[in-house]
Amino acid sequence: MQHDSFEHFFDEGLVERYLLPLKHGKEASVHLFRANPRTTDEDLVALKLYHPLDRRDFRDETLYRDGEFIKERRIRAALAKKTAFGREVQGGLWVSREWETLQTLSAAGVPVPRPIEWTGDAILMSYIGDEQTPAPRLQDHAKADPEELEELWQRCHRAIQHMLYRDVVHGDLSAYNVLVWEDDITVIDFPQAVDPKKNRHAQAFLERDLRRLGEFFDKHGVHHPWERIATDMWTGWLFADLVPEDLRGELTM
Ligand SMILES: Nc1ncnc2c1ncn2[C@@H]1O[C@H](COP(=O)(O)OP(=O)(O)OP(=O)(O)O)[C@@H](O)[C@H]1O
Ligand SMILES: [Mg+2]
């Protein structure tokens, strides 16, 4: 399979061979490539290619963009009026939001794919899995071993908290956007992530993220008071600046 949007990554010497399509999602398709290890430090990489704008499922994104000020008046107006140009800008915003969020979180050591390079409609990132098998999603993780599930819940909980302390609320978290590989998790799919310092709906998004994961684990016999956990996590983050510096390490991440 060849695609115009792949060319940049070949030209830059980042990928050497197209291997196979991994997944065709609502907003993007994801493809597996053999990487050039000298330029990427990886053997295999995943390329997330956003669908052309007219094929993308445009959710109402007013809630996600709350608190963000777009400086240029022309762009602001186009976004508000949902003109063709506005949709183009909106599409670009999704990709750049995912790219920036992956960079922030990866640098902070949160378990997310490592972003390598991007264009206006695609993001090249480290691949989770091996050549035969891509990492299954938490949703498809068939193993019912309760101890393992408990450990996975703990890892999800830690990742959500870690993200929050880097001013990121995922906003679309569920067992579909967590990959499980070698007992570890990787959180994916960030185009709708919000900054809790700016977005007035961030607490509601955090609660929904924890609820969706909490309900998944509930269904599989791992019970945690995720409602209270969400409230405590939010309050803890909100007041973290008031905690004396020398105590912070014990209380936050
Ligand atoms: N870095 C990666 N390594 C391995 N597999 C990946 C990677 N990134 C994405 N995938 C696979 O591709 C799928 C789609 O990725 P993602 O969730 O980012 O896109 P999406 O368009 O939102 O898809 P969906 O509509 O299914 O949520 C994931 O469920 C996962 O199976
Ligand atoms: Mg997804």
Side-chain angles (χ1 to χ4, degrees):
M1 184 183 174
Q2 237 333 334
H3 198 289
D4 281 353
S5 305
F6 294 168
E7 232 146 75
H8 172 80
F9 301 93
F10 281 107
D11 291 348
E12 292 292 305
L14 297 168
V15 299
E16 293 184 336
R17 194 150 56 86
Y18 181 81
L19 294 178
L20 49 101
L22 289 170
K23 184 88 200 304
H24 196 86
K26 286 188 302 297
E27 277 160 3
S29 53
V30 180
H31 306 266
L32 179 62
F33 285 82
R34 172 150 324 283
N36 176 348
R38 292 176 301 285
T39 51
T40 63
D41 234 0
E42 305 281 343
D43 293 321
L44 298 167
V45 283
L47 183 71
K48 177 168 178 177
L49 177 63
Y50 280 74
H51 298 324
L53 291 163
D54 54 354
R55 279 204 282 127
R56 239 181 265 173
D57 174 15
F58 269 84
R59 48 191 140 185
D60 181 13
E61 62 152 24
T62 3
L63 291 180
Y64 294 99
R65 235 186 18 243
D66 181 67
E68 267 167 46
F69 184 68
I70 310 256
K71 264 199 225 127
E72 236 185 287
R73 204 162 61 88
R74 186 173 72 107
I75 294 183
R76 232 175 30 237
L79 278 169
K81 290 201 194 113
K82 299 189 166 49
T83 61
F85 173 61
R87 283 169 67 89
E88 205 173 301
V89 171
Q90 187 182 336
L93 288 176
W94 285 110
V95 189
S96 64
R97 171 62 50 79
E98 173 148 51
W99 168 255
E100 278 163 21
T101 307
L102 285 174
Q103 281 199 310
T104 305
L105 296 181
S106 175
V110 180
V112 298
R114 183 174 65 84
I116 298 169
E117 163 80 326
W118 72 307
T119 62
D121 65 356
I123 295 177
L124 189 70
M125 61 182 102
S126 61
Y127 164 74
I128 323 298
D130 62 28
E131 209 167 334
Q132 283 72 42
T133 339
R137 302 170 304 178
L138 178 57
Q139 180 71 33
D140 310 322
H141 201 62
K143 278 194 222 147
D145 178 348
E147 253 168 54
E148 192 191 351
L149 278 173
E150 171 64 28
E151 178 62 30
L152 290 173
W153 158 261
Q154 296 298 342
R155 283 172 193 264
C156 288
H157 180 182
R158 268 204 301 278
I160 296 170
Q161 186 166 28
H162 202 166
M163 289 194 270
L164 183 60
Y165 280 84
R166 296 291 160 171
D167 297 330
V168 173
V169 173
H170 187 291
D172 187 28
L173 198 56
S174 71
Y176 293 96
N177 283 331
V178 175
L179 304 179
V180 181
W181 190 251
E182 289 169 349
D183 299 330
D184 213 346
I185 62 154
T186 305
V187 183
I188 59 163
D189 203 4
F190 287 92
Q192 69 297 304
V194 302
D195 179 344
K197 286 205 164 119
K198 295 183 185 158
N199 190 304
R200 287 169 297 171
H201 312 291
Q203 185 181 5
F205 284 132
L206 179 75
E207 283 166 5
R208 188 178 67 183
D209 285 354
L210 271 158
R211 168 161 56 77
R212 284 187 183 159
L213 278 181
E215 283 175 351
F216 170 83
F217 281 100
D218 264 345
K219 216 170 65 197
H220 292 83
V222 173
H223 306 293
H224 288 278
W226 39 266
E227 264 172 329
R228 207 195 67 220
I229 289 171
T231 312
D232 289 353
M233 200 187 278
W234 180 260
T235 317
W237 172 79
L238 211 52
F239 293 106
D241 288 347
L242 302 179
V243 175
E245 193 104 31
D246 54 332
L247 283 179
R248 243 178 247 176
E250 293 170 31
L251 298 170
T252 67
M253 310 189 63

